Amino acid sequence: MTGAYGTYPDSMCIAVSTGGGDAPGLNAVIRAVVLGGLNRGWEVLGIRRGFGGLLGDSPVVSLDREDVRGLTNVGGTILGTTNRGNPFRWPVPQADGTWTEADRSDELVDKARLLGIRAVIAVGGDGTLRISADLAEKGLPMVAVPKTIDNDVGGTWTTFGFDTAVSTATDAMDKIESTAESHERVMVVEVMGRYAGWIALHAGLAGSAHAILIPEIPFDLDKVCDKVRQREALGRKFSVIIVAEGAVPKGGSAVLKAGAVVGGTERLGGVSNLVAEYVQEHTGKETRTVTLGHLQRGGRPTTFDRLLALRFGAAAVRAVEQGHLNHMVAFDPPNVTTVPLKEAVSQAHVVPLDCDQIRTARELGIAMGD
Ligand code: F6P
């Protein structure tokens, strides 16, 4: 990477950025965008730290082949990322240690024009996609690439990062089961996913959970205790419960980390303690919790995620070439297509209550907390 940009003022120039929480596969997208652009004779710029690079946060860099060599299987993002980088609500530190917000979106659009950027390929989750839709409204040509381990982006069948997160969580479930059985305990495993239960549902099924609690089905802890007692009566003296961080007790609300609001978004976490305390108290079983946390966002992408990320990156460059601006690339198996950005951000992709995975879980006798 070099700090130089605009070295080919007459040529086509695109820029790529990665925003929001990281997800395995981001680097593969960057590689496909860079190679796809360079192979068309275009210049490709990298915007560092979300959109921050266009606001003087860090330099905008020119990306070449060397920069993306060997990146397909590398976790994280070489461009860096942030979930505090909304140009419409840019955080401004005050002398007294507090923060206010400023709208710096016009400055960002002007800077992109000054650099000769003809389209920005923004890779991110729902927050980044909304920002991209708003920047597109301001006249900055955008193509978005959906990214999230949570699988909660609308308009696409799935995103890269999700399969890797599920694999990591399933691997953890396998390990938890043996210690649960040895100690005849109940183990409660908390996974990410925000307000969508995809990770819990998939890892719970694949990892043989005895109860799966997801945000889409408010849970009744007495039902979970019943399941633990039924197993006990059958001589199965241990149970494993997987709970999505956004799962809610019936009539209650999601458990948030105290005082933790990032860029206007609350941070979830701690529901496993609520579940464990209740189960221990009402079943008499010794109960422990494990929160997988950011482990789920790290590491090498699975083969599925590598392929999807490369296909998304290539499709984003194709979208720019074909003039499908202000669209998001999407997976509509077996094809990668594009959908209007506005349509993609209009609704979140949560677990449908009548989906086959939930039906399968129920038919296997897994408690869903209802
Ligand atoms: O959206 C991805 C995600 O990992 C969520 O599953 C989780 O709630 C959140 O990001 C955690 O964000 P942070 O990186 O701010 O802790």
Side-chain angles (χ1 to χ4, degrees):
M1 262 183 259
T2 70
Y5 51 75
T7 35
Y8 316 102
D10 298 327
S11 76
M12 175 69 175
C13 172
I14 59 171
V16 56
S17 75
T18 53
D22 64 348
L26 282 170
N27 278 325
V29 177
I30 295 169
R31 180 165 178 266
V33 168
V34 170
L35 295 182
L38 294 180
N39 288 338
R40 285 170 168 82
W42 301 354
E43 182 176 17
V44 184
L45 304 182
I47 304 168
R48 286 180 175 275
R49 306 192 70 237
F51 292 108
L54 285 175
L55 293 173
D57 211 10
S58 37
V60 174
V61 291
S62 186
L63 296 170
D64 62 31
R65 288 171 203 281
E66 276 310 308
D67 297 318
V68 296
R69 189 181 297 278
L71 273 193
T72 300
N73 62 7
V74 180
T77 161
I78 58 164
L79 292 174
T81 188
T82 174
N83 44 19
R84 296 169 192 234
N86 184 344
F88 293 88
R89 298 179 60 184
W90 192 258
V92 184
Q94 303 297 298
D96 63 0
T98 60
W99 297 76
T100 58
E101 289 174 352
D103 181 352
R104 296 183 65 190
S105 55
D106 287 332
E107 189 186 333
L108 184 148
V109 173
D110 289 347
K111 178 71 182 207
R113 286 203 182 113
L114 193 73
L115 293 176
I117 295 170
R118 305 260 285 273
V120 174
I121 295 177
V123 192
D126 54 349
T128 302
L129 298 177
R130 264 188 210 100
I131 295 167
S132 300
D134 291 344
L135 289 173
E137 288 274 308
K138 288 200 159 234
L140 184 63
M142 305 291 303
V143 170
V145 175
K147 160 251 50 161
T148 169
I149 63 163
D150 305 332
N151 196 28
D152 61 352
V153 173
T156 182
W157 185 73
T158 193
T159 54
F160 67 88
F162 171 63
D163 186 62
T164 309
V166 170
S167 298
T168 300
T170 303
D171 188 42
M173 291 291 287
D174 291 347
K175 290 177 171 142
I176 290 295
E177 182 168 17
S178 59
T179 173
E181 185 162 17
S182 309
H183 285 264
E184 300 187 349
R185 282 175 172 158
V186 176
M187 297 294 299
V188 184
V189 182
E190 180 173 325
V191 294
M192 284 184 165
R194 294 197 61 77
Y195 295 104
W198 293 109
I199 298 177
L201 182 58
H202 283 211
L205 267 170
S208 303
H210 306 110
I212 301 175
L213 307 180
I214 60 175
E216 294 82 352
I217 304 178
F219 59 78
D220 174 349
L221 285 176
D222 289 324
K223 298 283 164 61
V224 178
C225 291
D226 285 347
K227 178 71 187 176
V228 172
R229 287 190 209 98
Q230 281 161 19
R231 286 180 49 76
E232 194 80 5
L234 292 170
R236 310 254 189 254
K237 300 206 173 291
F238 72 100
S239 293
V240 181
I241 300 165
I242 189 166
V243 57
E245 62 179 0
V248 288
K250 257 187 193 157
S253 49
V255 182
L256 303 179
K257 282 196 196 301
V261 177
V262 181
T265 311
E266 66 277 357
R267 285 177 61 205
L268 293 159
V271 66
S272 54
N273 296 321
L274 185 147
V275 173
E277 279 163 24
Y278 194 96
V279 169
Q280 177 157 308
E281 196 183 321
H282 290 80
T283 65
K285 295 287 298 176
E286 196 175 31
T287 304
R288 296 284 189 271
T289 61
V290 178
T291 300
L292 298 188
H294 295 78
L295 262 184
Q296 296 157 96
R297 296 217 313 236
R300 292 175 182 273
T302 58
T303 305
F304 180 89
D305 281 342
R306 293 178 201 187
L307 271 172
L308 189 60
L310 291 171
R311 293 179 67 190
F312 274 177
V317 177
R318 212 177 302 134
V320 173
E321 184 178 52
Q322 294 173 350
H324 291 152
L325 297 168
N326 309 335
H327 277 62
M328 178 188 87
V329 300
F331 190 35
D332 181 10
N335 300 312
V336 172
T337 57
T338 58
V339 294
L341 249 176
K342 278 196 165 165
E343 189 184 309
V345 298
S346 65
Q347 62 179 26
H349 176 227
V350 295
V351 179
L353 294 181
D354 60 353
C355 71
D356 186 64
Q357 295 93 317
I358 291 184
R359 189 181 309 160
T360 302
R362 293 193 193 284
E363 288 172 5
L364 293 180
I366 298 170
M368 296 299 300
D370 57 347

